[in-house]
Amino acid sequence: MYTGLIASRYASALAEFSAANGDEERTYDEVRRLIGLYRRDRSLRDVLFSPVVGDEAKLEVLRGAFGRPMSASLEGFVRLVLRHRREHYLYFMFYSFTDLYRRRHNIREALLVTAAPVDDRFAGRVCRAAESRTHGEVRLAREVRPELIGGFVFRMDDVLIDASVAAQLKLLRRKLGCKPNRIV
């Protein structure tokens, strides 16, 4: 089977199961947290992929890394994944679940990159403008990159708005560099 197909089927099952149990939002938050743990902690991945470590020990390691009790839906899901020996796909399942949850609840994630920190009022205006176009909720993440010199870069789904000074300078250099030099 294909990784994407396995991940999407298991993610759909987790979405249905957590919705039926009434803790879909909590499961979504926990899955997002586990994605971060999975990325940062190499030893967690090593334990999950180890054929020597048993299912209960793997579950205990996940619980310990999580730091608090998991929801019943998520714990049941992880048990199912471990029982079917699909732990190698767990990361992809989590990503598929978060994508499915966002689509079901019309949530978009956006990134606003600026050269200097911006106040909450400006970020709120950008967020409201994006929400009016998407007719859904937009969760805006902010990032500061001084190399932009000025302006901003906004990215949401497949939309990229690059209104930075650095991009304008790059475009200007490209336009000026394409013309042959005239010697008078």
Side-chain angles (χ1 to χ4, degrees):
M1 287 184 93
Y2 299 107
T3 302
L5 183 61
I6 292 169
S8 64
R9 285 183 179 172
Y10 275 82
S12 296
L14 176 58
E16 295 299 322
F17 185 58
S18 63
N21 287 344
D23 61 355
E24 187 178 22
E25 187 173 349
R26 179 179 174 196
T27 303
Y28 172 72
D29 292 335
E30 290 176 346
V31 165
R32 286 185 57 205
R33 189 163 177 226
L34 279 173
I35 287 173
L37 287 171
Y38 195 92
R39 274 188 194 155
R40 288 189 307 271
D41 195 353
R42 172 79 179 162
S43 61
L44 176 67
R45 291 190 303 266
D46 290 342
V47 169
L48 284 175
F49 296 160
S50 174
V52 178
V53 180
D55 291 349
E56 281 302 315
K58 289 178 182 181
L59 188 60
E60 279 302 316
V61 167
L62 268 177
R63 281 188 198 130
F66 199 62
R68 63 175 190 219
M70 287 190 274
S71 66
S73 298
L74 185 58
E75 187 167 331
F77 175 75
V78 171
R79 283 183 186 279
L80 175 78
V81 169
L82 292 174
R83 188 170 51 245
H84 288 274
R85 303 279 179 237
R86 301 282 194 190
E87 52 267 18
H88 288 287
Y89 304 107
L90 197 58
Y91 185 70
F92 303 108
M93 292 174 195
F94 286 160
Y95 258 106
S96 293
F97 172 76
T98 57
D99 186 48
L100 182 63
Y101 179 86
R102 283 190 219 116
R103 276 187 278 138
R104 283 184 173 187
H105 296 279
N106 199 15
I107 299 171
R108 300 262 177 16
E109 290 192 353
L111 177 65
L112 178 65
V113 183
T114 56
V118 294
D119 61 347
D120 291 336
R121 212 174 76 208
F122 177 76
R125 283 192 355 231
V126 170
C127 194
R128 283 190 299 278
E131 285 174 345
S132 69
R133 293 187 58 94
T134 62
H135 305 292
E137 181 184 346
V138 174
R139 294 184 179 168
L140 187 67
R142 292 186 256 182
E143 191 176 308
V144 176
R145 286 196 209 148
E147 64 267 14
L148 293 180
I149 303 170
F152 67 91
V153 176
F154 178 78
R155 181 185 305 266
M156 181 177 69
D157 297 333
D158 59 349
V159 175
L160 174 69
I161 301 170
D162 192 346
S164 66
V165 173
Q168 297 300 315
L169 287 173
K170 187 176 180 181
L171 181 65
L172 186 61
R173 273 191 216 106
R174 198 175 316 137
K175 283 183 178 180
L176 291 175
C178 293
K179 297 187 181 190
N181 294 335
R182 296 183 81 189
I183 301 174
V184 179

